[in-house]
C-alpha cells in the first residue's frame, strides 16, 4: 500500500513537472514542448525550402503548377486568375507564414498579445494613428470592385489552405519560441499590409518640430535650416519643365504663410520613436536605347528599407492566360509590386511627400466635443482593447474627429489640453491600390502604365517605367493634398480653422509630376524634390539631395551602357557629401593636437577619394565628425521641446557657404562662434571618441585568440564601425546576421546603413527585345530559419553580385529549365 | 522482458505523440508501467531508456536531415540567454535527458500504482514451481 502511495506521489510529481515544462516563463518558451523532438524546434525543420521541383496545388477552379527554380523562386502557372492568386497565397504562406502574420500583429497594434506589456506604447500608437481604420476604409473600396474582391479573396483562401494543412507540430520555430499558433488570414489583413507599408513610408511628420523651430529660431533662420528647395536642386522632373495645365485651385504660390501658427507654445512629440525612419528611400532609374550598347532600354531599382530576416521582399513569377509577370512582392500582398513582364518593366521609390497634417484641438468645457468652424462637434470614440500576454487587458477610448484621431492627449503623452494634437493622415482615405499593381502586372504599353497608376494612392511613389519599344517615363503617383500656399501642412494649425472639403481635395492624377521620353534620355529618382518652383502646387516633404545628383551625373555621361555598368552604379559608394564639404572642413581645422589619433584622422581624411568602401577608415572618421558637427551646431535644440536636426546636406551647405549662420554660435558661451569653431570643437570630440574606442581594453589580454579576433575586426574599419546588420523581425540576435562586409551609407547611392539599405536590387535589360532580369536581395526565399536559403543571398548582395533570373514563357519551359540542373 | 518493455515504451510514445501533445511520451511510459508492473527500479530504467532513446533517435534524425542548421541557431540563442556557450550536442543531450527523466518517473509511477503485490507472489510461485498457467 505504501508503494502505491509513493507511486501516486511520483505521478503527481510528473504531472507538476509537465505542467511547468508546458508553460512559457517570460520570454523563455515552454521548455518541454520546445525541446521535444515531436513538437519542439527539432520538428520545425520539416517545411524548409523547395528547389528544382515542380509541385501541383489544388486550387478553387483547377490546379496550379508551381515550378521552384534553383534559388527557390516559385514560377506559378494557372489556367485563370482566381487559381493564380490562390496559388500565390499558398506559396507565400509556405515560405513566409510567420513573417506575414507577425507584420500583421505589428500593423494591427496587437504585439502585446505576443510579447506582453512592453509593446503597449507601440500598439497604442499604431491604433491611435489608425492603421486598422485606414485598412477598413480601403477594404470597402476593394470589395466594391469585383476584380480586386476576387484577388483578395482568392489570395486569402490560398493562404488559409496552407495554414489548414500545416501540422501544428511543424509550424515555424518563431511561433514556438514566442508561444502562439497561426490564425486564419483575412482580406482585411491584405488591406492592412498596404497601410503598414504606408506607415513605413509616410509616417514621418515634422509639424511639431517645424512649429517649434519657427517659434524658437524665427522665420529667417527657419528658411535656411529647412528650405523647401535645397541648394543644387536637381529634381525628378528636370528643371525648367513647363506644366501645360491650369492648377485646380486659383491661388498664388508666392504667398508666404509660414507664420500660420501664432500660438506661442512649444509642442512635444512624445512618441516620435514610433514614427517611420525618415531615411527610408530608394533609387530608380532607366536609360533608353541611345545610351545603351544594345540600343534597348535598361531599367533599375533598389528600394532602401529596413534590412530584416525574413526579407521584406519575395520573388515570384505569376503566369496565366493574359498575364505573365516576374518580380518581387511583400509577403501578404497579391501580385507583383516591382518587376517586369514581356513588354514593360517598372520600379518604385518613395515620394517623400508630406501627407500628414497635425492640428491643435479646442475642447468644450466637458471635453466631449471639439471646435470645427464655428461650432462644437461631439467626438466619436474608438474603443480599443489590448490583450496582454501574462497580464490584464488594457482598454482605452480614442477620441475621433472628422479628420482623424486625437493621437496625443491626456491619456497618451500630453497633459496640457492646449497641446493635444489631432492627426489627419492621407492613408485613411479609401483607396484601391491593389488594382494599380494588377494593371501594371498586365500592362503592354505606356498608356496601360498610366491607366494603372490612376488607381494608386498611398504611400506616394515614383513609378519609373521602360518598355521594349524604347519608351521611358516616370510619374510621381499618389493621392496628394492640394496645397495652395508655402508652408501649408508644415505646421500645427488649429483644427477649428480646417476646411474639410479642401483638405480632402486632391491634385488630379494627370497633374502629378510626370515625364515621358525626356530629351536627356534617362529618367531617375532618388527621393529628391519631384519638381522645381515652376510646378503650380506646393510639394513639401523630406527630400534627399546627394544620391540624385550622383546618379544623374553618371547617367548624363552614360553611353554604350550594359547591365554591368548599371550594377556598378547600384553599388556606387561615392560620398558626395564628403566631396563637397570635406575640403572646407579640413581648411577650418587649426591647432589640432599632436597625438597619434589626431594625425591619423587628418592624414586619412586628406588622402581620401570620397568613396565609403567597406575596408576603408576614412568614412568612419568623416561620418563621426559629421555627427559631432551637428551635435555642436544644434546645441540650441534642448530637450524641453521636440526639434528636428536639419538634413545633413543643409548643414553641410551652411557650413561651406554660410559659416556665420546664427545657429553655429554656441548657446552657452559669451563669444560668437562660427562654423570654424564648431568644426574644431567637433574634431576634438571625434579624436577623443576614437582614442577611447581603440584603447586596448583589459579584456583583450584574456587570450591570444580573442585578441586576434579583436585585431581582425578593427574598430576603425568602416565595415565594422558601421556594422550593417540584417535583423530578425523578432529582434533575435541568433537569427540575425551582423557585420556584413559592405560599404556605402545614407546619402550614398549604395545606401547601405547600419539597419537599413538596398532591400532589393533589380536590373531589367531589354537587350534581346525580351527582358532579362538580374536581381538580388539580402535574405533568401525561405523565411524559415531552418532553411539553408534563409540567409543565402546576403553574401552575393554584399559583394554587389546578382542572380540571372528566369522568366519562363510557359509551364513546359519552366519544367525543362529545372530538369537541366 | 526489459528490452521488450523499452521497445514498447518507445513505439507507444511515437504513436501517442502523433495526436497527443509532447507529453504523450509520459503517458506512454505510464501506461506501460501500469500494464507490465514489476520492480520500480526496472521500470524506472525501462522508461528512462524507452523515452530517452526515442527522443535521442528522433532528434538526431531531424537534426541530421536538417544539417544542424536550426539546432546551431537555437544553440546560439540559448547561449546568449544563459551566458555560457552551448553546442548542438548539448541540446541533444538535454533533450534526451529530459525525455528520459520524464519516461523514467512516469513508468515507475505507473508500475508502483498498479503493483498490488500479485506479480511478486506469482513470480515467487513460478520459482517454487507451483504456478499453473491458466489455459482454456
Amino acid at each position: 500500500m505504501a508503494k502505491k502511495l509513493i507511486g501516486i506521489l511520483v505521478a503527481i510529481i510528473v504531472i507538476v513537472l509537465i505542467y511547468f515544462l508546458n508553460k512559457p516563463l517570460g520570454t523563455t518558451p515552454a521548455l518541454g514542448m520546445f525541446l521535444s523532438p515531436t513538437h519542439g524546434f527539432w520538428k520545425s525543420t520539416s517545411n524548409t525550402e523547395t528547389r528544382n521541383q515542380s509541385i501541383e496545388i489544388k486550387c478553387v477552379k483547377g490546379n496550379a503548377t508551381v515550378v521552384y527554380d534553383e534559388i527557390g523562386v516559385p514560377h506559378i502557372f494557372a489556367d485563370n486568375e482566381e487559381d493564380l492568386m490562390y496559388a500565390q497565397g499558398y506559396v507565400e504562406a509556405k515560405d513566409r507564414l510567420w513573417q506575414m502574420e507577425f507584420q500583421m500583429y505589428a500593423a494591427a497594434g496587437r504585439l502585446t498579445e505576443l510579447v506582453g506589456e512592453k509593446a503597449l506604447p507601440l500598439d497604442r500608437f499604431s491604433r491611435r494613428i489608425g492603421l486598422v481604420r485606414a485598412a477598413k476604409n480601403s477594404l470597402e473600396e476593394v470589395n466594391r470592385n469585383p476584380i480586386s474582391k476576387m484577388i483578395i479573396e482568392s489570395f486569402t483562401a490560398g493562404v488559409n489552405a496552407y495554414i489548414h494543412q500545416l501540422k501544428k507540430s511543424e509550424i515555424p520555430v518563431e511561433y514556438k519560441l514566442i508561444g502562439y499558433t497561426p490564425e486564419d488570414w483575412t482580406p482585411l489583413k491584405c488591406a492592412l499590409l498596404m497601410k503598414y507599408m504606408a506607415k513605413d513610408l509616410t509616417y514621418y511628420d515634422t509639424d511639431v518640430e517645424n512649429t517649434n523651430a519657427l517659434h524658437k529660431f524665427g522665420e529667417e533662420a527657419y528658411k535656411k535650416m529647412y528650405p523647401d528647395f535645397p541648394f543644387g536642386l536637381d529634381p525628378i522632373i528636370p528643371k525648367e519643365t513647363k506644366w501645360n495645365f491650369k492648377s485646380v485651385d486659383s491661388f498664388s504660390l508666392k504667398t508666404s504663410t509660414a507664420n500660420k501658427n501664432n500660438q506661442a507654445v512649444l509642442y512635444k512629440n512624445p512618441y516620435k520613436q514610433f514614427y517611420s525612419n525618415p531615411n527610408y528611400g530608394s533609387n530608380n532609374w532607366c536609360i533608353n536605347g541611345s545610351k545603351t550598347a544594345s540600343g534597348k532600354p535598361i531599367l533599375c531599382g533598389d528600394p532602401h528599407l529596413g534590412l530584416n530576416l525574413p526579407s521584406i521582399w519575395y520573388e515570384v513569377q505569376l503566369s496565366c492566360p493574359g498575364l505573365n509577370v516576374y518580380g518581387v512582392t511583400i509577403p501578404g500582398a497579391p501580385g507583383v509590386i516591382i518587376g517586369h513582364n514581356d513588354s514593360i518593366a517598372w520600379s518604385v521609390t518613395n515620394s517623400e511627400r508630406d501627407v500628414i497634417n497635425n492640428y491643435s484641438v479646442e475642447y468644450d468645457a466637458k471635453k466631449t466635443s471639439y471646435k470645427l468652424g464655428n461650432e462644437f462637434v461631439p467626438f466619436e470614440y474608438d474603443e480599443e482593447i489590448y490583450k496582454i500576454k501574462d497580464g490584464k487587458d488594457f482598454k482605452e477610448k480614442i477620441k475621433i474627429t472628422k479628420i482623424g484621431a486625437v493621437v496625443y492627449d491626456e491619456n497618451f503623452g500630453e497633459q496640457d489640453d492646449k497641446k493635444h494634437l489631432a492627426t489627419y493622415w492621407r492613408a485613411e482615405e479609401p483607396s484601391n491600390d491593389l488594382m494599380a499593381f494588377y494593371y501594371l502586372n498586365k500592362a503592354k504599353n505606356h498608356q496601360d502604365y498610366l491607366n494603372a497608376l490612376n488607381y494608386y494612392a498611398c504611400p506616394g511613389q515614383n513609378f519609373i517605367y521602360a518598355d521594349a519599344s524604347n519608351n521611358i517615363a516616370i510619374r510621381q503617383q499618389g493621392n496628394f493634398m492640394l496645397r495652395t500656399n508655402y508652408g501649408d501642412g508644415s505646421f500645427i494649425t488649429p483644427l477649428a480653422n480646417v476646411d474639410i472639403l479642401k483638405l480632402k481635395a486632391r491634385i488630379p492624377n494627370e497633374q502629378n509630376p510626370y515625364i515621358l521620353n525626356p530629351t536627356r534620355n534617362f529618367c531617375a529618382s532618388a527621393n529628391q524634390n519631384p519638381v522645381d518652383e515652376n510646378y503650380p502646387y506646393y510639394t513639401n516633404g523630406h527630400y534627399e539631395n546627394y544620391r540624385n545628383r550622383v546618379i544623374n551625373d553618371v547617367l548624363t555621361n552614360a553611353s554604350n551602357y550594359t547591365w554591368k555598368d548599371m550594377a556598378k552604379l547600384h553599388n556606387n559608394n561615392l560620398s558626395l557629401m564628403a566631396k563637397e564639404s570635406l575640403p572646407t572642413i579640413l581648411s577650418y581645422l587649426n591647432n589640432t593636437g599632436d597625438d597619434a589619433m589626431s594625425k591619423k584622422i587628418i592624414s586619412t581624411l586628406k588622402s581620401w577619394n570620397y568613396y565609403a568602401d567597406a575596408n576603408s577608415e576614412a568614412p568612419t572618421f568623416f561620418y563621426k565628425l559629421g555627427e559631432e558637427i551637428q551635435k555642436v551646431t544644434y546645441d540650441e535644440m534642448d530637450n524641453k521641446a521636440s526639434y528636428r536636426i536639419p538634413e545633413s546636406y543643409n548643414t553641410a551647405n551652411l557650413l561651406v557657404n554660410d559659416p556665420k549662420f546664427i545657429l553655429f554660435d554656441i548657446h552657452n558661451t559669451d563669444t560668437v562662434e562660427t562654423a570654424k569653431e564648431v568644426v574644431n570643437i567637433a574634431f576634438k570630440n571625434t579624436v577623443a571618441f576614437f582614442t577611447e574606442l581603440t584603447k586596448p581594453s583589459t579584456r583583450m589580454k584574456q587570450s591570444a585568440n580573442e585578441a586576434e579576433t579583436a585585431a581582425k575586426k578593427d574598430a576603425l574599419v568602416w565595415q565594422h564601425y558601421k556594422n550593417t546588420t540584417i535583423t530578425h523581425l523578432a529582434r533575435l540576435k541568433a537569427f540575425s546576421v551582423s557585420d556584413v562586409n559592405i560599404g556605402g551609407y545614407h546619402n550614398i547611392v549604395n545606401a547601405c546603413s547600419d539597419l537599413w539599405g538596398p532591400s532589393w536590387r533589380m536590373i531589367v535589360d531589354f537587350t534581346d527585345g525580351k527582358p532579362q532580369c538580374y536581381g538580388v536581395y539580402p535574405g533568401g526565399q525561405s523565411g524559415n530559419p531552418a532553411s539553408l536559403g534563409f540567409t543565402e543571398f546576403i553574401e552575393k548582395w554584399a559583394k554587389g553580385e546578382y542572380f540571372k533570373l528566369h522568366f519562363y514563357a510557359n509551364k513546359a519551359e519552366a519544367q525543362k529549365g529545372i530538369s537541366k540542373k | 522482458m526489459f528490452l521488450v518493455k523499452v521497445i514498447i515504451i518507445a513505439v507507444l510514445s511515437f504513436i501517442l505523440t502523433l495526436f497527443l501533445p509532447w507529453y504523450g511520451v509520459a503517458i506512454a511510459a505510464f501506461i506501460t508501467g501500469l500494464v507490465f508492473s514489476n520492480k520500480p527500479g526496472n521500470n524506472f530504467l525501462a522508461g528512462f531508456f524507452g523515452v530517452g532513446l526515442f527522443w535521442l533517435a528522433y532528434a538526431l534524425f531531424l537534426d541530421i536531415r536538417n544539417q544542424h542548421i536550426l539546432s546551431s541557431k537555437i544553440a546560439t540563442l540559448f547561449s546568449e540567454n544563459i551566458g555560457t556557450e552551448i553546442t548542438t550536442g548539448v541540446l541533444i543531450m538535454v533533450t534526451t535527458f529530459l525525455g528520459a527523466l520524464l519516461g523514467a518517473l512516469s513508468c515507475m509511477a505507473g508500475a508502483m500504482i498498479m503493483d498490488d503485490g500479485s506479480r511478486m507472489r506469482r513470480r515467487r510461485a513460478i520459482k517454487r514451481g507451483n504456478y499453473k498457467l491458466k489455459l482454456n
Side-chain angles (χ1 to χ4, degrees):
Chain A
M1 202 54 204
K3 214 175 198 180
K4 236 180 189 158
L5 278 178
I6 296 169
I8 290 166
L9 197 69
V10 175
I12 291 168
I13 290 171
V14 172
I15 290 166
V16 171
L17 199 63
I18 288 172
Y19 174 78
F20 280 107
L21 287 169
N22 198 37
K23 215 175 125 104
L25 279 169
T27 53
T28 315
L31 274 179
M33 178 282 292
F34 193 71
L35 288 175
S36 79
T38 53
H39 293 76
F41 79 87
W42 306 102
K43 193 75 176 172
S44 291
T45 55
S46 296
N47 291 307
T48 52
E49 76 260 80
T50 317
R51 283 176 195 219
N52 292 322
Q53 206 180 319
S54 176
I55 62 169
E56 295 282 315
I57 296 173
K58 202 184 160 305
C59 303
V60 181
K61 289 188 171 171
N63 279 7
T65 305
V66 183
V67 181
Y68 285 90
D69 66 19
E70 75 278 11
I71 55 168
V73 177
H75 302 259
I76 307 174
F77 300 91
D79 296 329
N80 53 71
E81 289 175 355
E82 283 92 327
D83 287 352
L84 188 66
M85 289 299 112
Y86 183 98
Q88 189 186 4
Y90 191 93
V91 301
E92 281 185 21
K94 182 172 174 330
D95 275 333
R96 300 289 185 90
L97 179 62
W98 177 78
Q99 171 191 16
M100 285 166 70
E101 267 216 293
F102 189 77
Q103 285 171 346
M104 287 309 97
Y105 272 91
R110 293 177 57 200
L111 287 174
T112 49
E113 293 171 33
L114 308 183
V115 300
E117 185 113 33
K118 65 182 171 195
L120 189 58
L122 173 59
D123 279 349
R124 292 180 69 193
F125 183 81
S126 302
R127 296 204 197 180
R128 280 172 169 262
I129 67 168
L131 281 153
V132 174
R133 287 195 301 275
K136 282 180 180 161
N137 289 346
S138 277
L139 187 60
E140 273 178 34
E141 198 71 14
V142 167
N143 283 336
R144 250 177 242 134
N145 181 322
I147 298 174
S148 50
K149 189 170 184 321
M150 173 279 287
I151 292 174
I152 217 163
E153 284 176 357
S154 305
F155 182 88
T156 300
V159 175
N160 286 333
Y162 178 77
I163 294 175
H164 296 156
Q165 63 79 50
L166 184 63
K167 284 188 205 130
K168 209 182 142 196
S169 61
E170 295 182 0
I171 55 177
V173 68
E174 289 96 336
Y175 285 107
K176 296 176 183 174
L177 269 171
I178 301 172
Y180 69 119
T181 50
E183 352 170 283
D184 274 6
W185 193 256
T186 61
L188 182 64
K189 289 184 182 176
C190 288
L192 191 53
L193 180 66
M194 276 310 288
K195 298 304 165 188
Y196 187 57
M197 285 316 292
K199 196 255 163 182
D200 216 24
L201 292 171
T202 67
Y203 216 93
Y204 175 72
D205 187 66
T206 55
D207 293 352
V208 167
E209 293 74 12
N210 293 349
T211 306
N212 290 346
L214 186 66
H215 175 64
K216 187 168 167 115
F217 305 119
E219 194 167 348
E220 198 193 327
Y222 178 87
K223 281 184 169 166
K224 282 189 177 179
M225 290 157 79
Y226 315 106
D228 284 319
F229 296 98
F231 73 98
L233 176 75
D234 193 356
I236 297 170
I237 307 301
K239 278 205 250 187
E240 311 297 329
T241 298
K242 295 275 175 293
W243 303 99
N244 51 5
F245 56 78
K246 274 182 95 172
S247 60
V248 179
D249 211 14
S250 55
F251 68 92
S252 149
L253 234 182
K254 300 298 170 207
T255 327
S256 169
T257 54
N259 262 317
K260 266 188 143 170
N261 183 30
N262 322 323
Q263 305 166 50
V265 282
L266 290 174
Y267 289 85
K268 275 190 303 182
N269 192 349
Y271 290 98
K272 198 177 179 177
Q273 73 264 35
F274 299 139
Y275 278 27
S276 63
N277 184 338
N279 292 311
Y280 284 2
S282 312
N283 305 320
N284 62 20
W285 63 81
C286 60
I287 52 179
N288 68 18
S290 68
K291 284 185 172 289
T292 62
S294 67
K296 298 278 183 181
I298 305 178
L299 178 139
C300 304
D302 58 311
H304 311 152
L305 297 170
L307 299 176
N308 290 118
L309 288 171
S311 167
I312 184 156
W313 299 111
Y314 181 73
E315 278 175 65
V316 66
Q317 179 180 356
L318 301 174
S319 182
C320 75
L323 170 71
N324 191 13
V325 64
Y326 187 103
V328 287
T329 184
I330 299 169
V336 163
I337 292 173
I338 295 173
H340 71 88
N341 58 31
D342 279 314
S343 320
I344 74 150
W346 77 97
S347 184
V348 295
T349 62
N350 196 18
S351 71
E352 310 291 346
R353 294 269 284 268
D354 177 12
V355 292
I356 292 173
N357 285 357
N358 273 301
Y359 299 104
S360 56
V361 184
E362 192 181 325
Y363 295 107
D364 67 332
K366 279 189 256 157
K367 276 175 88 170
T368 53
S369 60
Y370 59 98
K371 197 173 180 191
L372 187 69
N374 292 321
E375 53 185 320
F376 280 88
V377 183
F379 285 110
E380 288 177 27
Y381 295 94
D382 260 5
E383 301 209 22
E384 298 288 349
I385 299 170
Y386 304 78
K387 294 197 183 103
I388 296 177
K389 188 181 181 185
D390 304 324
K392 251 176 56 190
D393 286 3
F394 177 84
K395 291 177 191 165
E396 70 172 342
K397 270 166 86 177
I398 301 172
K399 305 185 196 80
I400 307 286
T401 72
K402 284 186 179 174
I403 58 103
V406 181
V407 173
Y408 290 150
D409 63 10
E410 70 277 12
N411 301 317
F412 199 59
E414 183 54 85
Q415 294 310 315
D416 185 348
D417 280 3
K418 284 198 239 28
K419 298 184 187 177
H420 289 184
L421 294 180
T423 304
Y424 172 71
W425 182 26
R426 201 63 161 182
E428 279 197 59
E429 298 296 336
S431 63
N432 195 356
D433 311 79
L434 202 64
M435 290 305 288
F437 295 107
Y438 173 76
Y439 285 120
L440 262 181
N441 289 186
K442 292 179 143 191
K444 293 273 165 239
N445 54 47
H446 164 254
Q447 195 52 49
D448 292 348
Y449 149 83
L450 288 181
N451 293 343
L453 293 194
N454 287 341
Y455 284 92
Y456 190 80
C458 193
Q461 299 289 304
N462 303 306
F463 286 84
I464 201 157
Y465 167 93
D467 66 27
S469 327
N470 211 12
N471 293 303
I472 57 170
I474 189 164
R475 175 158 134 192
Q476 183 166 86
Q477 174 60 29
N479 175 355
F480 297 116
M481 286 184 239
L482 204 90
R483 290 196 162 137
T484 52
N485 288 296
Y486 278 112
D488 268 7
S490 299
F491 303 96
I492 295 167
T493 54
L495 180 57
N497 298 351
V498 171
D499 173 352
I500 289 186
L501 271 182
K502 194 182 163 202
L503 176 70
K504 301 217 168 190
R506 60 182 290 170
I507 299 175
N509 282 327
E510 60 278 9
Q511 295 188 1
N512 278 335
Y514 162 68
I515 196 159
L516 168 70
N517 294 327
T519 49
R520 61 182 183 183
N521 294 319
F522 71 85
C523 296
S525 74
N527 316 114
Q528 75 267 44
N529 289 59
V531 289
D532 66 6
E533 292 94 329
N534 290 327
Y535 185 69
Y537 298 100
Y538 177 59
T539 54
N540 60 330
H542 41 279
Y543 301 118
E544 217 276 334
N545 192 32
Y546 286 120
R547 283 184 277 120
N548 58 327
R549 289 185 289 147
V550 174
I551 292 167
N552 289 355
D553 190 44
V554 170
L555 296 181
T556 303
N557 298 316
S559 79
N560 273 321
Y561 261 35
T562 66
W563 77 272
K564 287 195 168 155
D565 297 295
M566 293 306 203
K568 258 188 230 155
L569 184 51
H570 263 163
N571 294 281
N572 185 315
N573 285 337
L574 174 66
S575 170
L576 187 57
M577 187 187 336
K579 195 176 169 186
E580 288 182 346
S581 64
L582 186 55
T584 310
I585 290 172
L586 289 172
S587 77
Y588 284 165
L589 285 175
N590 50 18
N591 299 327
T592 52
D594 273 338
D595 60 293
M597 186 53 80
S598 297
K599 284 181 179 163
K600 181 181 166 78
I601 293 178
I602 289 188
S603 70
T604 310
L605 288 178
K606 273 188 176 156
S607 58
W608 189 24
N609 61 1
Y610 310 123
Y611 281 81
D613 295 327
N615 57 2
S616 156
E617 288 184 353
T620 307
F621 299 139
F622 176 74
Y623 285 106
K624 180 65 192 168
L625 179 60
E627 238 174 69
E628 289 297 327
I629 288 174
Q630 291 212 323
K631 250 189 243 166
V632 179
T633 305
Y634 302 115
D635 61 318
E636 294 86 351
M637 298 183 178
D638 49 34
N639 293 327
K640 286 181 201 136
S642 292
Y643 296 99
R644 123 170 110 122
I645 302 288
E647 300 289 348
S648 47
Y649 55 79
N650 275 324
T651 307
N653 181 48
L654 290 167
L655 197 83
V656 175
N657 295 318
D658 194 357
K660 289 188 175 155
F661 177 55
I662 183 157
L663 270 277
F664 286 125
D665 184 28
I666 293 164
H667 193 54
N668 56 7
T669 60
D670 297 332
T671 49
V672 176
E673 284 83 8
T674 67
K676 198 169 173 177
E677 284 79 34
V678 166
V679 165
N680 278 285
I681 297 169
F683 183 78
K684 283 205 180 76
N685 297 348
T686 307
V687 171
F689 174 82
F690 286 116
T691 310
E692 184 63 34
L693 189 73
T694 49
K695 208 163 67 183
S697 66
T698 43
R699 201 162 43 83
M700 272 176 64
K701 286 175 204 144
Q702 276 176 9
S703 75
N705 200 9
E706 228 183 81
E708 209 180 282
T709 344
K712 218 161 69 185
K713 296 201 165 192
D714 190 342
L716 298 178
V717 172
W718 182 228
Q719 173 198 335
H720 309 309
Y721 179 74
K722 175 176 69 148
N723 189 17
T724 295
T725 303
I726 304 169
T727 316
H728 184 261
L729 277 176
R731 307 260 176 280
L732 298 170
K733 227 169 104 191
F735 290 5
S736 307
V737 177
S738 58
D739 196 27
V740 179
N741 182 12
I742 188 166
Y745 204 43
H746 32 99
N747 308 113
I748 291 179
V749 177
N750 181 19
C752 192
S753 302
D754 49 354
L755 298 173
W756 55 273
S759 56
W760 156 245
R761 291 197 189 111
M762 175 184 86
I763 302 172
V764 184
D765 185 357
F766 284 92
T767 300
D768 310 318
K770 193 191 157 194
Q772 172 59 55
C773 186
Y774 304 86
V776 69
Y777 65 83
Q781 284 290 97
S782 171
N784 186 343
S787 291
L788 207 57
F790 188 59
T791 53
E792 189 183 17
F793 305 160
I794 294 175
E795 205 186 323
K796 228 177 159 92
W797 170 81
K799 280 188 193 159
E801 294 171 359
Y802 297 74
F803 291 99
K804 193 173 178 182
L805 304 169
H806 307 292
F807 181 50
Y808 296 115
N810 51 47
K811 183 163 84 182
E813 196 187 294
Q815 285 170 335
K816 221 174 105 194
I818 59 162
S819 67
K820 270 188 283 181
K821 270 130 210 160
Chain B
M1 186 60 188
F2 177 75
L3 250 181
V4 173
K5 221 154 65 179
V6 168
I7 291 166
I8 286 172
I9 291 173
V11 171
L12 196 60
S13 291
F14 174 73
I15 293 166
L16 286 185
T17 47
L18 286 179
F19 49 89
L20 287 180
W22 64 275
Y23 49 80
V25 291
I27 297 169
F30 184 75
I31 293 172
T32 314
L34 282 179
V35 175
F36 299 90
S37 65
N38 57 10
K39 280 183 199 154
N42 180 297
N43 279 286
F44 184 90
L45 287 177
F48 190 91
F49 286 110
V51 177
L53 285 176
F54 168 50
W55 273 21
L56 175 68
Y58 202 18
L60 274 178
F61 163 72
L62 292 170
D63 191 41
I64 291 168
R65 191 183 66 174
N66 185 239
Q67 299 165 288
H68 320 292
I69 297 170
L70 186 60
S71 58
S72 56
K73 284 184 179 137
I74 298 294
T76 316
L77 186 79
F78 277 22
S79 307
E80 278 161 12
N81 283 349
I82 58 178
T84 30
E85 191 146 332
I86 62 165
T87 60
T88 300
V90 174
L91 276 183
I92 298 249
M93 272 158 52
V94 172
T95 298
T96 306
F97 180 74
L98 187 71
L101 184 70
L102 273 179
L105 292 176
S106 304
C107 192
M108 188 174 79
M112 289 172 91
I113 286 170
M114 203 46 161
D115 194 352
D116 53 2
S118 66
R119 273 168 201 259
M120 284 308 237
R121 278 197 298 279
R122 192 168 62 203
R123 196 166 274 225
R124 269 181 234 120
I126 292 168
K127 259 188 190 163
R128 273 185 253 121
N130 56 5
Y131 179 77
K132 275 185 194 141
L133 259 173
K134 267 188 210 156
L135 295 166
N136 2 331

